[in-house]
Amino acid sequence: MSEVIAAVEGGGTNFNCALFDLEGRLLVRQRFATAKPKATIEQCAAFIKQSRRGSRIIGAGLACFGPLDLRRGSSSYGAILATPKPGWESFKPKASLEDALEVPVSLTTDVGGSALGEHHAGVARNTEDFVYITVGTGIGVAAFLGGRLLEGASHPELGHCSVRRVAGDSFLGNCPFHGDCVSGLASGPAIEARWGKRGEELPPEHRAWDFESAYLAQLCTTAIYAYAPQAVVLGGGVMAAPGLLDRIKIKLGKLLGAYHDTFVVDAAGAPRVVAPGLGGDSALYGAFALARSELER
Amino acid sequence: MSEVIAAVEGGGTNFNCALFDLEGRLLVRQRFATAKPKATIEQCAAFIKQSRRGSRIIGAGLACFGPLDLRRGSSSYGAILATPKPGWESFKPKASLEDALEVPVSLTTDVGGSALGEHHAGVARNTEDFVYITVGTGIGVAAFLGGRLLEGASHPELGHCSVRRVAGDSFLGNCPFHGDCVSGLASGPAIEARWGKRGEELPPEHRAWDFESAYLAQLCTTAIYAYAPQAVVLGGGVMAAPGLLDRIKIKLGKLLGAYHDTFVVDAAGAPRVVAPGLGGDSALYGAFALARSELER
């Protein structure tokens, strides 16, 4: 009987599910809109079970939106903490998926999963120290350092750090916790709230991208000072905007100043800031990689 | 023949030297003013060698000011990088101390040494995830996570992150690299440059401490989001100001908002931000602890 591993990326908008063989080949996948917590998990589990055919599911990985309680020994370990998403606060997606699949489930954040995926099969395959930043519904930051995901007492929340206002930006910010932290100024919903249009509808010459590149360059700078990585991977829906990555790199070079050389530069002396190699599938591959590595232990 | 370990804390103003026995007892110590690089190291080595009496020096630890090149495999590993301190740029203090003492020298940053010292024998003895921040001639941040010092491709430089200006502060900042980063606004020399007096001369009710506590609370917030620690240890000469630690804690609680509970809170729900247990000797003890642990390996 062949063995397979399930992978779930739990996002605020969609849940992506897949089965992988033990060599890391994606066998089957499906996407469900994020609904009520228990129903969403059960829909994923039903798909996974019906797709396994003759194979045995030996474990699963879950890369889930948060904030998550990842404090070791916490009584609410694995629970979703303060979230504006109705019904999800205090829900335990890992425990729920374990009940439904009856296998051990390895848990990390969505952005932690993306970092693991990019290290496993993406652009950071040979990089032991890098930062993954996702810019989408929110802004998440994961640090992969010395070959493992950084988790202190819990996971980082650098996507809520403060940035300096760009002159002329009077938008109040839309982070429910901090107002104008970097998530409140530069996430997808922040762009839409500020300009009345989604990022996809704003042309490359729109002022929105001056603001966006300035705030994300500041976030990259803070992440570089915090983690001293060899590279920064910038993913998420907002990063699909044409030219945005290059504009961030130019501003980042200026912000780093003389500290530039110490950190992330490529052979041409430019900051090593790159797009993900797995596109929107980083977290799904990461959930698989996490489950496999924990099963091997 | 008994065995001893040498420890050196290399600071911009003074070099502190000591000999420890293998159980971690400080046997003898001396302080020298920081002069030219080679002469300073030789003065330390001469003191160490004449103080060992009949004992054999089996290794040494050096916690040195920076920025240091700690990139694994770098041809300039151990060198001091861009520094405004005359004569010290490109100097390799570890190699120089190894030549003088003829034993292996383990190297970390001054603030990394302080974190190791506080974990070894100070206030963080039972804490596996904490941040050490020193506020003195510069501002340094070290992250001790999962039982070891965080070093990505090199050491963190979060003391150069940006902070938002407090209303009414028009000081340009004095960081030679970034102007008004947190080091340029809140280090000891920044206080002196802004007010024309050293921090020690400014009374607790002086406006300087409003600014100082606001900037350091922002730095603590960024460090907490970056590392998710269980505690923050705040040391360095500037932190000796009466009441400063408490004022930072109050502002930090407000800045963290609803994210407060996830991170560093004590039993009373206040942020776990504490003074070092070893006072000004954290880095000296840390240099010893580093050398001993590397010798044991």
Side-chain angles (χ1 to χ4, degrees), chain B residues 185-245:
Chain B
L185 290 174
S187 66
I191 295 172
E192 195 174 350
R194 187 193 278 106
W195 303 107
K197 284 184 177 175
R198 293 172 58 82
E200 302 92 289
E201 301 170 66
L202 298 169
E205 66 277 11
H206 194 281
R207 206 172 167 206
W209 306 114
D210 291 335
F211 290 0
E212 191 68 15
S213 56
Y215 294 132
L216 295 179
Q218 288 188 59
L219 173 60
C220 288
T221 305
T222 300
I224 288 168
Y225 286 153
Y227 305 123
Q230 296 168 287
V232 177
V233 183
L234 262 173
V238 171
M239 288 307 303
L244 179 57
L245 185 67

Side-chain angles (χ1 to χ4, degrees), chain B residues 236-259:
Chain B
V238 171
M239 288 307 303
L244 179 57
L245 185 67
D246 286 335
R247 291 172 77 167
I248 292 168
K249 286 172 74 164
I250 290 165
K251 290 182 180 170
L252 173 59
K254 289 180 188 158
L255 286 171
L256 288 173
Y259 273 78

Side-chain angles (χ1 to χ4, degrees), chain A residues 56 64 120 203 223 280 282:
Chain A
R56 191 167 72 93
C64 191
H120 169 67
S282 312

Side-chain angles (χ1 to χ4, degrees), chain A residues 153 157 163-164 178 225-228, chain B residues 153 157 163-164 178 225-228:
Chain A
E157 281 289 358
V163 283
R164 288 192 178 178
H178 312 93
Y225 286 153
Y227 305 123
Chain B
E157 281 291 356
V163 284
R164 289 194 176 176
H178 311 93
Y225 286 153
Y227 305 123

